[in-house]
Amino acid sequence: MSTATLEVPATRRSRPFAWAEQSLTLAWRNIVRIRQNPEALADVTIQPIIFLLLFLFVFGGAIAGGGTWHDYLPYLLPGVLVQSVVFSTLGTGVALNEDFAKGVFDRFRSLPIARVAPLIGAVLGDAVRYLTSIVILMTAGFLLGFRFENGVGNGLLACLVVLLFALSLCWVWVWLGLKLKTAQGVQGIAFLVMFPLTFGSNIFVQTTTLPGFLQSWTKVNPVTYLVDTMRGLMIGGDVQKPLLITLAWMVGLVAVFAPLAIRAYRRRT
Amino acid sequence: MSTTNQVAISAEGLVKKYGSTTALDGVDLTVPTGTVLGVLGPNGAGKTTAVRILGTLLRPDAGHAEVGGYDVVREAPRVREIIGLTGQYASVDEDMSGRRNLVMIGRLLGLPRDQSKTRADQLLERFELTDAGDRIAKTYSGGMRRRLDLAASLVGNPSILYLDEPTTGLDPHARNGVWDTIRNLVLDGTTVLLTTQYLEEADALADSIMVFDKGKVVAEGRPSELKAQAGKQSLDVRPAEPGHLERVAAIVSEAVGTRPTVDVVNALVSVPVSDGTSMPVVVRRLDEAGIAVTELSLRLPSLDEVFLALTGHAAQEQSIAVLEGASR
Ligand SMILES: Nc1ncnc2c1ncn2[C@@H]1O[C@H](COP(=O)(O)OP(=O)(O)OP(=O)(O)O)[C@@H](O)[C@H]1O
Ligand SMILES: [Mg+2]
C-alpha cells in the first residue's frame, strides 16, 4: 500500500503533454462507450440516410425543376452531409449533460487532471460519430451514382473540412450541455439552433429562390459557406472565398465557445 | 510542499448556500494526519456539501479550508493530487467494465498501461470484483457499484480519503470488507473523513466524531466523550417473566425516584441514572419480591440516544429513510 507522506507520487509529476494524454484517454472512453451501445449511433447512420432518400426522392423531382433525382444528387449530397454532421454535434451536448447527471464527471473533477481534458475527450470521441456519418453518407451517395467530379483528393478534403467544422461547432453544444440543467433542455434548444442553421441555408435549394429576409440570413450563416466549399471541392466551383469564410467561422466558434465551455465546466456543481 | 504535517484537513467557518437553503452554516473542523473523522447527521445536515467542498468539487461561499496544507479553492489542483473521493452516489462509468473503469483512472493519473492494469487487478481483487471485472458496470448490483467506486478512489494511493456514506446499501459481508479496508488504509497512514448514517459505523471506525445538524456542528469529540456528553447512564432491567414488567417498573421507580420507560416489545425497563448507587437497592428489592431477571445492567447511552439528545430528533427515522431509499 501507499506511503503516508503527502508527496506527489513520482508517476504523477507534471509531464508536459499530460493534458493531451488525458484527453486521449477520455476520448478512448467515449469510443469504448460507443462500441458498448451501438444503437446510440442511430443519429449518425439511419437518420442521415433517411434524410438523403427523403429529399432525393420525395422533393428531388420538384426541387430540380425539369430534371430528375439524378440531376439533384450531386447538388444535394454535399448539403445533406453538412446537415447531418451539423445535427450530430447536438449529440455531443446531450451526452455530456447526461454524463454530468450520472456523476461520472464528479470523478473526473476530483482527479488531478487538466480541466479541458474531459471536454476535449468528449469532442474527440465524438469525431468517431461524425466520421461514421460521413462514411455512411458517402457510401450511400456512391451507390446512388455520386462521383467526386473534381478529383478524389478534393473530395476527401471536403470530408475533412466538414469534420473539422463539426469539431468546431460542437463546442457550442459542449457549452450548452454544461450550461443547461437537463438533457431535455439541451434537446429543446436544438431546434432553435439547428433549423436556422440548416434550413436557412443553401443545403437543399439555391438561396436565390428564398424570400429576402431569409436570403440576408443565409449570407451570414456559416453553413452556407461550408456547403459552398463542399460543393466546390466535390463537384467543382469557387472554393477559395467560401473556404476562407468557413475557416474564419471555425476559428471564431472555438475561440468563443471553448473558453465558455471550460468556464461552465468549472462552475458546474 | 505542505507546511503542516500534523493536520491533514482543516476548515474554518465554511458556509454554503443554495438559494434560500443554508447547507453549511459556519463549519469548523480539523482532522489530524492518519486519523479517521466520522461525520454524522440526519438527511440534509450538510455532510455531502462539506465533503464536496473539501474535495474541490464545490466552492464555499465563505470560510476556507486546507487539505494537506493546500487551499481547496486557490490550490485545488494540488489538493486533487493527494485526495481520493467516493461520493454518495456512485460515479462509475456504467457503459464500461469495472476493470476498464479502473484502468482509465490509472491512465488519467499518468500510470503506464501495464501498471494501470496491475493496479486495477489488485483493486478488483481487494473488493471481490475480480469475477465481475470484465462485465459492463451497468449490470452490477448497487453494492458492487459502490465497491467499484471505492476502488476507483484508491487507484492513485491517496493520502487523504473522503468517503460519503461508503457502506450505505452494502450487505453485512461487504460492509465488513469495507470496514477492514478502511482500517488497513489507516494503518498505512491514510487520513479518512467519512460520513455515515450508521452511528455504529462511526463508533467502530472513527477516532473522533462530529455531529452535523442543519449545517452546523452540534457536537464533536471521541465516541466515548460524546456518549458521556449526552450525560446520564442508563439502568436496564429485564424480568424473566414479561408479566412482571409493571412490578419491576414500580420497584425501579421507587428505588431511583424517577419513572422508568417500559419497553413492552423488548420486555425491558430502563431509567436514566446519574451514577450506580441505586443499583444495589434495586437488586435487593427485586430479590425481596422474588422476581427473577435475565438482565440487569448499567450502561453508557448508545450513540442513538446521544444523537437524539444532541439534535433533538431521533437518528432512527433517518436510517430507516436511508434504508428505504437504498432499497428503491
Ligand atoms: N445542488 C443543490 N441545490 C439546492 N440545494 C441543495 C443542493 N445540494 C444540497 N442542497 C441542500 O443543502 C442541504 C444539505 O445537503 P447535503 O446533501 O449536504 O446533506 P447531507 O447531510 O449529505 O444529507 P444526506 O444524509 O441526505 O446525504 C439540504 O437541505 C439540501 O437540500
Ligand atoms: Mg449526503
Side-chain angles (χ1 to χ4, degrees), chain A residues 172-185:
Chain A
V172 175
W173 290 112
V174 170
W175 174 61
L176 288 172
L178 294 170
K179 204 74 186 165
L180 298 175
K181 289 242 151 43
T182 61
Q184 282 86 348

Side-chain angles (χ1 to χ4, degrees), chain B residues 57-306:
Chain B
L57 296 179
L58 208 59
R59 285 163 178 251
D61 294 328
H64 81 114
E66 282 185 11
V67 172
Y70 300 116
D71 189 281
V72 290
V73 176
R74 280 182 292 107
E75 298 168 293
R78 289 308 210 156
V79 173
R80 291 183 199 119
E81 302 260 358
I82 54 175
I83 62 166
L85 172 65
T86 302
Q88 183 167 1
Y89 307 101
S91 57
V92 298
D93 190 333
E94 299 194 326
D95 293 323
M96 295 203 297
S97 70
R99 176 171 282 108
R100 282 213 164 120
N101 263 286
L102 299 178
V103 170
M104 172 181 74
I105 289 168
R107 298 289 290 150
L108 286 174
L109 292 175
L111 296 178
R113 199 178 304 270
D114 52 337
Q115 280 187 40
S116 302
K117 287 189 173 149
T118 320
R119 185 86 186 119
D121 287 339
Q122 277 173 2
L123 287 165
L124 286 173
E125 181 160 352
R126 187 193 301 178
F127 289 97
E128 300 183 23
L129 290 169
T130 307
D131 291 340
D134 290 318
R135 251 165 56 198
I136 178 169
K138 204 180 273 172
T139 66
Y140 285 17
S141 73
M144 289 162 78
R145 263 179 237 204
R146 284 213 67 84
R147 268 140 59 203
L148 180 61
D149 206 25
L150 212 55
S153 65
L154 295 178
V155 173
N157 273 329
S159 54
I160 296 170
L161 187 62
Y162 303 120
L163 304 171
D164 197 357
E165 303 196 18
T167 61
T168 301
L170 294 191
D171 65 32
H173 170 75
R175 185 194 295 197
N176 279 332
V178 169
W179 284 13
D180 284 344
T181 302
I182 295 173
R183 289 193 180 107
N184 283 329
L185 289 167
V186 174
L187 283 180
D188 286 337
T190 308
T191 306
V192 178
L193 188 158
L194 74 93
T195 78
T196 177
Q197 299 273 353
Y198 305 114
L199 305 165
E200 177 200 359
E201 181 161 277
D203 201 10
L205 294 174
D207 297 298
S208 67
I209 292 179
M210 282 187 133
V211 183
F212 280 27
D213 192 36
K214 301 193 176 77
K216 287 198 163 74
V217 179
V218 293
E220 59 181 304
R222 279 181 289 132
S224 57
E225 284 171 354
L226 275 192
K227 289 181 193 170
Q229 205 173 321
K232 311 237 174 75
Q233 293 169 295
S234 171
L235 177 65
D236 296 347
V237 186
R238 194 192 307 272
E241 276 290 321
H244 289 155
L245 270 178
E246 277 312 311
R247 284 175 66 199
V248 171
I251 289 171
V252 169
S253 171
E254 197 184 322
V256 178
T258 319
R259 181 81 200 146
T261 54
V262 178
D263 179 346
V264 183
V265 179
N266 295 310
L268 190 71
V269 174
S270 55
V271 65
V273 292
S274 47
D275 52 48
T277 49
S278 48
M279 185 103 152
V281 185
V282 173
V283 174
R284 216 175 311 125
R285 297 271 165 82
L286 286 171
D287 188 37
E288 285 164 9
I291 298 173
V293 296
T294 54
E295 183 186 332
L296 182 70
S297 64
L298 194 63
R299 60 171 177 86
L300 283 170
S302 73
L303 268 172
D304 282 291
E305 287 160 306
V306 175

